[in-house]
Amino acid sequence: MSGTFCELGALVVYLVILLWIGLRSGRQVQTSIDYTLAGRNVPWLIVLATTAATMVGGGASVGSVAKVYQLGLAAAFITAAWHLQLIFTGVFLAPRLRGLNLITVGNFFERRFGELARRLSVLNCLVFMGGALVAQMAAIGAITESVLDIEYQTAVLVGGAVVVFYATVGGIRAVVKTDVLQFVILVGGIATASAWLLYRGGGFEQIQQQLSQLPSSLTQDQPVFALSGPTWSTTRVVTLFCSFFLGEMLVPAYAVRCFIAKGRRAARWGVAGAGLFLLIFHPIAIFTMGVAARSDEQISGQLQQRYDEKLAEQRQERAAELDDLVRRGVRADVDRVEKEIRDQAAAAASQVTFPMLMRSAFPPVFSGVMIAAILAAVMSSADSCLSCVGTIVMEDIYRPHVNPAASDRTLLAVARWTTLLGGVAAAVAALVWRDIVDILEFVYDFWAPTMVWPFLVGIFWYRRERIAAVVFSMLAGTGATIVWRFVLESPGDVSPALFGFAVAVVAWIVALPLCRQSPTNRWLQPVDGPVGEGEEG
């Protein structure tokens, strides 16, 4: 009882602090630029903290520890792609983007490639941010339910209400300030936990010896210290690594970190610094925690019991489907469904690895702080998604299509109302769609094929006569992803994101010889905007 009381107490204190930060930040917001870009005056160290906190969301913390428990080193290895992507973005892209004085990703596409590309980019941004926001709201509910035994619906509504409140009142200023707090809690807590667990386990060699003595049905016999195995083949690990590298490159939540920086230098050091820090820290920390949990006989036993329960639930839910396949004698489909059931049960059971590890290793007060850190990870991603949705609707939909002459006060009101209503809609959607992984896989699959290559062309190889080729590559990449994902069902373990991206690049190359003149169609005319060099601070 005392442990639960400490955990709930830490959570309540943390939520109160977030509400207080939102109220204070709201008093500093005077203009729409204050609300959406924090006045473009954020120092590099704060950019580093807010970028890192946004990256280490629920999937990169709780989800990654769970995956390491199941799959070992391979799951930790592929997370390095996220951080390498941030380093690449910070060094090569962030200073150029900051120099353009943009507000949204749509602004970039409009200035480089015209109205059609802008509309395609806005649609993709809304789909990505909307899907990611629903997934983070669902993660708030799922993690709170599994950790504190609070009903899922209640957890979504309460946690979502806190995020919506401070993001609506304080905008990106509140998001950045709460991210700094979340960064400190996450890094301090995870670093302390992983160091202590490694010491307690006697080092990796001792942990490896303990692992050989434990059953492995939940972990599916995947080697702990190998990059591939029966569950994840080498092809799957490589394609997942590439997909992770491309899947979040320049998504609005990270692009806006380039826009809010004090200048080009602050953008470069902030974003690249976040990637470098996380590359050194994050894969090692989650690997340590994952294998520590896997080598703990008590935790493994509890997770195995949870797996057996989830497996029975899944089989009961899909009993009619399995009976029908058995009756028809479709053995291949029976094996496929059985594998899906086992995988879903293992994923559901392993989600509590992180909190279970904290409770077994630490006293109630510290474990309570770490429970707050878990929710901090999820909220840091949710608030960034929510802020981006409000900015996109204000800048890319309301201003150009509804009221081009809108005053700054009106734009600020639109951004706030969109943030509020978007957050409410996401919370309601999370009550219906609870499969976090499926939601995230869907939005990741469509981002890279449509958006990443045009970004790279627009920054490094831009010429007006290539605009039509870029738009063609966006359409081709999206179409290829749809076919690969839904029709062919990702053959050969090659991810739809990687396949679609490859098709987009090939389509661009094929179209180049056909696009030797600047386009005259109004949909392909780039819109000139004020291009600033940005401060050098």
Side-chain angles (χ1 to χ4, degrees):
M1 181 61 73
S2 60
T4 303
F5 178 79
C6 287
E7 292 172 358
L8 286 172
L11 178 59
V12 169
V13 170
Y14 178 70
L15 295 180
V16 170
I17 292 174
L18 294 184
L19 293 173
W20 177 73
I21 290 174
L23 287 171
R24 282 186 59 85
S25 301
R27 296 170 187 165
Q28 300 174 332
V29 173
Q30 303 297 326
T31 67
S32 62
I33 293 298
D34 284 338
Y35 189 81
T36 58
L37 296 174
R40 300 188 194 271
N41 198 35
V42 180
W44 75 269
L45 192 59
I46 304 301
V47 174
L48 185 155
T50 184
T51 303
T54 300
M55 170 64 74
V56 186
S61 55
V62 178
S64 292
V65 171
K67 282 296 183 185
V68 170
Y69 180 88
Q70 291 180 258
L71 302 166
L73 182 61
F77 169 74
I78 62 171
T79 65
W82 286 332
H83 317 319
L84 291 171
Q85 172 265 128
L86 283 181
I87 295 172
F88 175 83
T89 299
V91 172
F92 298 107
L93 307 180
R96 302 184 187 214
L97 291 174
R98 177 60 185 88
L100 293 173
N101 286 334
L102 304 170
I103 297 177
T104 66
V105 168
N107 291 160
F108 177 84
F109 278 76
E110 182 180 36
R111 292 187 191 181
R112 286 291 194 259
F113 308 119
E115 179 64 16
L116 180 56
R118 184 190 74 83
R119 294 194 181 194
L120 290 173
S121 72
V122 170
L123 177 61
N124 273 275
C125 287
L126 286 175
V127 169
F128 187 96
M129 287 292 97
L133 180 57
V134 172
Q136 296 303 329
M137 290 289 187
I140 290 174
I143 292 170
T144 307
E145 180 185 41
S146 62
V147 171
L148 298 174
D149 286 330
I150 296 175
E151 189 180 39
Y152 174 85
Q153 290 80 0
T154 302
V156 169
L157 295 176
V158 173
V162 173
V163 173
V164 171
F165 175 83
Y166 72 74
T168 300
V169 173
I172 193 68
R173 285 190 182 277
V175 168
V176 168
K177 290 178 180 178
T178 55
D179 278 353
V180 172
L181 172 65
Q182 289 154 351
F183 174 77
V184 172
I185 294 175
L186 280 169
V187 171
I190 291 176
T192 302
S194 57
W196 166 248
L197 289 167
L198 186 60
Y199 171 78
R200 190 184 71 164
F204 285 121
E205 186 175 347
Q206 183 65 31
I207 289 174
Q208 192 170 14
Q209 291 178 2
Q210 294 170 353
L211 288 172
S212 62
Q213 303 170 10
L214 296 173
S216 58
S217 62
L218 172 57
T219 55
Q220 304 168 342
D221 297 316
Q222 183 80 3
V224 178
F225 292 88
L227 289 178
S228 62
T231 306
W232 276 9
S233 65
T234 301
T235 301
R236 180 164 175 78
V237 171
V238 171
T239 59
L240 276 175
F241 188 92
C242 295
S243 298
F244 276 37
F245 184 86
L246 298 171
E248 290 195 356
M249 182 176 287
L250 293 169
V251 299
Y254 300 130
V256 77
R257 267 63 191 175
C258 306
F259 305 159
I260 66 176
K262 193 174 183 179
R264 290 171 176 258
R265 194 175 301 161
R268 172 182 281 123
W269 284 107
V271 176
L276 181 61
F277 172 80
L278 290 173
L279 182 64
I280 297 170
F281 167 76
H282 179 251
I284 296 173
I286 62 170
F287 179 71
T288 301
M289 289 190 287
V291 297
R294 192 162 164 175
S295 65
D296 188 297
E297 188 172 359
Q298 182 181 359
I299 293 177
S300 293
Q302 290 174 346
L303 289 175
Q304 184 63 47
Q305 181 179 355
R306 184 178 173 86
Y307 169 73
D308 293 338
E309 293 171 356
K310 295 294 181 182
L311 191 63
E313 291 175 9
Q314 291 285 337
R315 282 184 171 149
Q316 185 175 0
E317 289 177 6
R318 304 186 68 172
E321 180 183 1
L322 279 170
D323 289 344
D324 180 61
L325 292 173
V326 170
R327 186 169 54 253
R328 290 189 290 148
V330 189
R331 188 63 208 173
D333 285 344
V334 172
D335 293 340
R336 175 183 57 79
V337 172
E338 282 284 359
K339 183 179 183 302
E340 289 176 0
I341 289 172
R342 290 193 300 272
D343 289 346
Q344 290 170 2
S350 62
Q351 285 302 310
V352 296
T353 303
F354 192 116
M356 201 173 279
L357 190 63
M358 295 303 100
R359 284 172 174 155
S360 71
F362 302 107
V365 173
F366 187 83
S367 66
V369 173
M370 290 307 298
I371 298 302
I374 293 173
L375 291 174
V378 182
M379 288 181 172
S380 66
S381 295
D383 59 23
S384 296
C385 295
L386 192 54
S387 176
C388 287
V389 169
T391 304
I392 291 168
V393 171
M394 178 200 79
E395 178 66 16
D396 293 324
I397 297 176
Y398 184 83
R399 191 203 292 264
H401 300 297
V402 179
N403 188 0
S407 66
D408 190 75
R409 183 176 179 179
T410 300
L411 293 174
L412 178 57
V414 169
R416 276 192 163 132
W417 275 106
T418 303
T419 303
L420 174 62
L421 296 176
V424 172
V428 172
L431 299 178
V432 179
W433 292 290
R434 298 180 55 167
D435 196 324
I436 303 165
V437 174
D438 277 357
I439 297 171
L440 290 177
E441 281 185 355
F442 177 83
V443 296
Y444 284 165
D445 282 347
F446 285 92
W447 179 263
T450 309
M451 303 292 287
V452 173
W453 186 247
F455 253 122
L456 298 178
V457 171
I459 290 175
F460 295 117
W461 308 293
Y462 179 73
R463 293 169 69 175
R464 283 185 176 239
E465 56 266 30
R466 294 175 177 172
I467 291 175
V470 167
V471 174
F472 177 66
S473 78
M474 294 174 74
L475 296 171
T478 302
T481 302
I482 292 172
V483 172
W484 194 259
R485 190 182 204 277
F486 297 109
V487 179
L488 301 178
E489 297 183 346
S490 305
D493 267 350
V494 177
S495 74
L498 186 59
F499 177 78
F501 178 77
V503 169
V505 174
V506 171
W508 181 77
I509 294 172
V510 170
L512 277 180
L514 306 176
C515 307
R516 296 183 180 275
Q517 295 182 349
S518 297
T520 57
N521 188 296
R522 70 180 184 88
W523 290 95
L524 302 178
Q525 289 294 314
V527 177
D528 294 328
V531 179
E533 293 302 317
E535 300 290 337
E536 284 298 321

